[in-house]
Amino acid sequence: MELNTGHASPAEPARQSKGTSRILMYSHDTYGLGHIRRSRAIANALVAAHSHASVLIISGSSLAGSFNFAPGIDFVHVPGIAKSESGSYASANLRLDVAEVTAIREALIRQTAESFRPDIFIADKEPAGFRGELVPSLKLMGNMGTRRIIGVRDVLDSPEIIRSEWHDKGAIRVMTDHYDDVLVYGTEQFYRPLDGIPMPAEMRSRIVYTGYLRRSVPGGSSGVRYPRSTKGPFILVTTGGGADGAGLIDWVISAYEADPQIPLPSVITFGPFLSNAQRAQFLERIDRLPKVDAIVFDPKIERLMNRASAVVAMGGYNTFCEILSFDKPALLMPRSRPRQEQLIRATRASALGLVQMLLDPIEQGEPTRDPMVMAQALTALRDQPAPSLVSPPGLLEGLPSIADYVAPHIAGREPTDSVASIGLGG
């Protein structure tokens, strides 16, 4: 007599509880907050659109639990990996080398996929995962009948760098062999991030541009005490996680030190990864400036951005989505190292009239940043038009488009007209 354990073998289709659908998401999170924030937006939209869906997010972010997630979403936390500005990697917390940590992450990811048995799998940005850690799970889920989707942001890096990097990591082969769909979280008119990657025509035909991910103001209190200046018009200065934002913060503070007549005050959010030493130095200078305030970190920064009159930022994907969503005049100072992603996005957005851009003089080889250049740019924000005046139609339809796109694979129905209207691009 054969014992029935109640578990399907890996080669069998996933068996789900009646009336439920399961979506597994992967966010490798080796730098900053971008990946987990993007995954959060998508997960919240999926459970809102599909009331029977459960979303499980695999994440290495130590701050994943700080954000606002809807019912129906949970996490599996894997050991974190830290990425330096030079591009090298190390264990974020464990006293183990990166190879050992990667092996642990790979095993946890595979165990999660085998136990959860998802209908849909969505990976963020890295087809093979960090150092190939996803490949065993991708093969397993393929045998289960899971629909495997790779989602990438509007800009990855320069075409030459992405082509070389993905070739060296085997990511192109993994994407071709182990994924059913490729979603680009942007518009084809803005930028085509995969043009530099050689791939079969059949795979290129699977690329779908969803539009950008619209953000909304989260409910409930943020738990952060906002400065008094937020009760009137103000400029929000945000650097995301903050690990690479010291240059922008320093330039803004120096502008107010040089020109007390800048019309709007600024509220600076340092980000959780700005070093304590840099934060202390900035606070000492801010204490002497009547028009500058600061907070450390706001997990519901959408609330603060919605209040702001204008935004100064570096140009990461999530901040760009928020600028468009809340229709704020914005000044971007993109970094160009270790990736050119922010520079490409800011340059394109500036050319389209969506934002203004300032390049960091120090990154351009200059010895200093002129405070008056930033002061003039901050002053100009008061009269800068909102992005909506030049935004093309459908720019912010990413979240409903993604929810509709996956619908046939979790609910057995055809895509709605909004998906059909996205079109295929290559």
Side-chain angles (χ1 to χ4, degrees), residues 29-49:
D29 293 295
T30 57
Y31 195 68
L33 298 173
H35 302 291
I36 189 61
R37 294 186 67 216
R38 184 162 52 248
S39 296
R40 173 191 67 159
I42 294 169
N44 283 343
L46 289 173
V47 296

Side-chain angles (χ1 to χ4, degrees), residues 249-410:
I249 295 171
D250 175 72
W251 204 3
V252 170
I253 294 173
S254 70
Y256 282 93
E257 290 171 333
D259 183 6
Q261 302 307 313
I262 296 172
L264 293 177
S266 281
V267 175
I268 299 172
T269 59
F270 291 136
F273 302 128
L274 181 72
S275 74
N276 290 334
Q278 287 177 320
R279 186 188 308 160
Q281 291 172 5
F282 289 147
L283 285 173
E284 184 177 345
R285 294 165 64 189
I286 288 170
D287 283 344
R288 297 192 289 266
L289 296 171
K291 287 188 176 180
V292 184
D293 289 297
I295 61 174
V296 175
F297 173 54
D298 184 0
K300 296 183 180 180
I301 197 170
E302 299 93 340
R303 297 168 61 89
L304 200 53
M305 188 172 290
N306 189 48
R307 290 190 188 190
S309 302
V311 175
V312 175
M314 296 177 64
Y317 178 84
N318 293 287
T319 302
F320 184 56
C321 286
E322 289 158 355
I323 288 168
L324 297 177
S325 299
F326 299 115
D327 202 23
K328 300 299 178 180
L331 172 68
L332 300 184
M333 190 189 90
R335 73 165 190 258
S336 59
R337 294 189 301 267
R339 295 195 176 278
Q340 296 182 39
E341 169 217 343
Q342 291 186 2
L343 178 61
I344 293 170
R345 180 180 298 112
T347 301
R348 181 64 177 145
S350 177
L352 292 172
L354 295 167
V355 303
Q356 295 298 315
M357 179 178 68
L358 269 183
L359 296 179
D360 185 347
I362 291 180
E363 284 200 356
Q364 307 301 308
E366 299 294 326
T368 59
R369 304 179 181 98
D370 185 344
M372 292 307 298
V373 170
M374 177 60 77
Q376 291 165 8
L378 294 173
T379 298
L381 277 172
R382 183 178 57 176
D383 301 316
Q384 184 174 313
S388 61
L389 295 179
V390 295
S391 295
L395 187 67
L396 285 165
E397 294 304 309
L399 293 175
S401 296
I402 295 167
D404 278 356
Y405 192 82
V406 304
H409 310 296
I410 64 175

Side-chain angles (χ1 to χ4, degrees), residues 81-203:
I81 297 290
K83 181 180 179 182
S84 70
E85 290 190 19
S86 67
S88 62
Y89 295 95
S91 172
N93 298 299
L94 297 177
R95 294 168 181 168
L96 302 173
D97 64 41
V98 70
E100 290 180 280
V101 174
T102 305
I104 295 169
R105 287 166 57 104
E106 179 182 303
L108 290 172
I109 293 166
R110 191 184 190 284
Q111 290 166 13
T112 300
E114 189 169 6
S115 299
F116 190 59
R117 310 192 69 78
D119 298 290
I120 294 170
F121 172 72
I122 304 175
D124 186 71
K125 182 182 170 284
E126 294 285 348
F130 178 69
R131 297 200 172 187
E133 66 186 4
L134 272 184
V135 175
S137 296
L138 287 168
K139 294 177 180 177
L140 174 69
M141 288 185 288
N143 290 333
M144 291 179 182
T146 301
R147 189 79 178 188
R148 296 159 297 175
I149 299 170
I150 177 69
V152 300
R153 62 188 181 229
D154 59 340
V155 183
L156 294 170
D157 206 327
S158 69
E160 300 77 18
I161 291 175
I162 285 296
R163 180 168 58 248
S164 174
E165 184 179 290
W166 279 31
H167 177 271
D168 292 346
K169 295 191 296 187
I172 300 172
R173 174 60 62 87
V174 171
M175 186 168 69
T176 303
D177 291 350
H178 297 298
Y179 284 92
D180 304 293
D181 306 285
V182 182
L183 301 184
V184 177
Y185 305 139
T187 67
E188 190 172 7
Q189 294 75 23
F190 187 90
Y191 196 75
R192 295 157 61 104
L194 300 175
D195 271 5
I197 296 176
M199 63 179 74
E202 190 277 333
M203 185 68 194

